[in-house]
Amino acid sequence: MGLSPAVPTGSDTGPDTGPSTALLTDQYELTMLQAALADGTAHRRAVFEVFARRLPHGRRYGVVAGTGRLLDALERFRFDEETIAFLRKREIVDDATADWLRDHRFRGNIWGYAEGECYFPGSPILVVEGTFAEAVLLETLALSILNHDSAIASAASRMTAAAGSRPIVEMGSRRTHESAAVAAARAAYVAGFASTSNLAAGHCYDLPTGGTSAHAFTLLHDSEEDAFAAQVAALGVGTTLLVDTYGVREAVRTAVEVAGPGLGAVRIDSGDLAVLAHDVRAELDALGATDTRILVSGDLDEYAIAGLVAAPVDRYGVGTALVVGSGYPTAELVYKLVARSVGTEPDSPLEGVAKLSTGKPTHKGRKWAHRRLEDGTAVAEVVSTHPEHVGDGGRPLLIPLVAEGKIVGREPITAARERHLRSRAELPPTALKLSRGEPVLPTTYDNTEHTGNTGYTGHSGQPEHSEQLEQTGHTRREGGAR
């Protein structure tokens, strides 16, 4: 067994047969498992949920990404003999726990927000139901994938919204861990990026790829003209020539002289991009290269892209800002127990449980969620312990991903990409503002005791009232005080 990277090597449309993901976890999950197996509570049914207590400061919405990667990783979550030997050698687990792990397969159920869907504070973007033993083991695996990919997709969505119809190329591989680069390219594509420079991402997920040359290629040659001629000879006149190694205006003239007016594109990677884009466009037009496109790159983020909206730019290249989530490299999602059975029998009823920790409260009970719409525009995120409380004008958000251990929620990445565009489009227009603001939708909790046959009640067994998160998502309103 080789330790798998956090990025699977398979596609989003079928099973992955790569190495085990079982050690992509924290030790305390195995120590909890050992203690729970010893006292019998490991076999209690349990429900865990993944949610964000708040969005990154000033953000107006988040984007769910990584679901397809999580399903691939779950399928490879196996404790093989090499893994067991490591755990026993380190005395992390005892013999009884090792025996349980050896035969372990997740046989529970998982629901989640579909990949590409927008989310808000308190949105139950993943719901995991199984025994405590099997569900608790998935905490780190789920969070490491969803936190990274959702952070990247959330930043990417802001960038594509700022870019409008202009495509964005993902080119951040050299600014992050090699496995994170592949995951980031995938997440960016979900949120609307047009292509990636990362060939591993293209291979794993069938993403469009692109790239031509760096400054090193120009510096290799005795002159810029020689460099351009070599590139055009090898790649054709439709290639993109990098024109800021020396003087931009001179390089543009040389590029058109070498390739002719049918030159595909030029790239500007430094300087005042807005000013240079206007100058380059005027020079290209004067030389008859009216169809030659302009690509700009160089430390771009959503704010820089918005600042170029009036410039004659045809395409953007984004690297560093994308792979670090534009300042927020994690979505700060958490994985919390919200319900567990009162006994170990299969038909033992579930009851809601919740933390009261200062600054980290949770809401008890298994949740369902829908987005309330008015005239096609989203107005609220409604989270309820009642599966039937969708109501008129509501769009259900949770879909089955795993049923009795079988993965049922796989889909092509293009489906997630299309879904994101639809989900973002139904948000109020203020969602697309780049200025700091509150989450564009309030999250409302309807925690009235459910009297149906699901077995979920409040921990006290008493009815609970509806409550609404403040739009910051930082806390809930209780008697007007925080």
Side-chain angles (χ1 to χ4, degrees), residues 48-381:
F48 286 84
E49 291 176 351
V50 173
F51 60 92
R53 291 190 176 95
R54 61 190 66 82
L55 298 180
H57 182 57
R59 294 282 179 88
R60 298 170 185 263
Y61 64 95
V63 180
V64 176
T67 309
R69 291 209 308 122
L70 177 59
L71 295 178
D72 284 342
L74 176 62
E75 194 161 53
R76 295 182 286 124
F77 197 80
R78 304 284 188 268
F79 289 85
D80 57 25
E81 288 305 321
E82 185 178 343
T83 304
I84 296 294
F86 164 76
L87 296 174
R88 290 297 296 121
K89 181 179 180 181
R90 294 288 185 92
E91 298 184 348
I92 294 171
V93 299
D94 57 20
D95 287 337
T97 304
D99 289 341
W100 187 91
L101 291 172
R102 188 174 285 109
D103 297 328
H104 169 65
R105 299 290 186 274
F106 181 79
R107 296 182 174 85
N109 302 304
I110 300 178
W111 298 264
Y113 278 36
E115 190 159 18
E117 187 67 75
C118 296
Y119 73 88
F120 299 90
S123 298
I125 69 171
L126 198 75
V127 179
V128 180
E129 180 181 328
T131 65
F132 176 82
E134 59 186 350
V136 74
L137 292 179
L138 300 182
E139 176 184 6
T140 302
L141 185 69
L143 290 181
S144 61
I145 293 174
L146 295 178
N147 264 316
H148 174 269
D149 290 21
S150 296
I152 301 301
S154 297
S157 178
R158 287 162 57 87
M159 295 174 190
T160 56
S165 61
R166 296 172 177 176
I168 308 180
V169 180
E170 186 282 314
M171 48 177 63
S173 297
R174 291 161 293 165
R175 301 293 185 262
T176 189
H177 185 278
E178 65 272 17
S179 294
V182 183
R186 182 188 181 281
Y189 188 74
V190 168
F193 271 49
S195 60
T196 178
S197 65
N198 189 289
L199 293 178
H203 174 65
C204 291
Y205 302 114
D206 196 27
L207 305 185
T209 60
T212 51
S213 69
H215 297 99
F217 186 77
T218 300
L219 296 171
L220 169 68
H221 290 79
D222 295 335
S223 69
E224 195 165 49
E225 182 179 0
D226 289 346
F228 289 172
Q231 184 173 328
V232 170
L235 303 177
V237 297
T239 190
T240 299
L241 296 177
L242 183 59
V243 295
D244 71 332
T245 304
Y246 305 120
V248 173
R249 186 169 184 177
E250 295 80 3
V252 171
R253 286 199 296 266
T254 301
V256 177
E257 289 172 2
V258 169
L263 173 64
V266 295
R267 178 163 74 97
I268 311 168
D269 190 52
S270 59
D272 188 327
L273 297 178
V275 171
L276 287 172
H278 282 285
D279 291 346
V280 168
R281 184 72 269 161
E283 187 70 17
L284 288 169
D285 291 347
L287 294 169
T290 56
D291 293 330
T292 299
R293 300 180 303 277
I294 298 175
L295 184 152
V296 296
S297 57
D299 297 323
L300 295 182
D301 60 12
E302 61 266 47
Y303 302 103
I305 291 171
L308 291 167
V309 67
V313 171
D314 299 289
R315 186 177 293 252
Y316 304 97
V318 179
T320 302
L322 185 278
V323 298
V324 298
S326 197
Y328 296 99
T330 176
E332 296 190 55
L333 303 170
V334 295
Y335 185 97
K336 298 300 177 184
L337 181 67
V338 296
R340 46 85 169 162
S341 63
V342 297
T344 59
E345 299 78 11
D347 59 349
S348 182
L350 288 163
E351 64 177 4
V353 295
K355 288 173 56 177
L356 299 178
S357 307
T358 302
K360 295 183 177 182
T362 58
H363 290 262
K364 64 185 70 173
R366 191 260 201 243
K367 317 295 191 309
W368 285 262
H370 71 274
R371 192 154 296 155
R372 186 179 298 151
L373 305 173
E374 292 182 1
D375 298 324
T377 299
V379 296
E381 192 88 338

Side-chain angles (χ1 to χ4, degrees), residues 368-370 372 382 384-392 446 448 450:
W368 285 262
H370 71 274
R372 186 179 298 151
V382 181
S384 175
T385 54
H386 299 255
E388 71 275 15
H389 274 196
V390 175
D392 295 333
D446 180 2
T448 311
H450 180 49

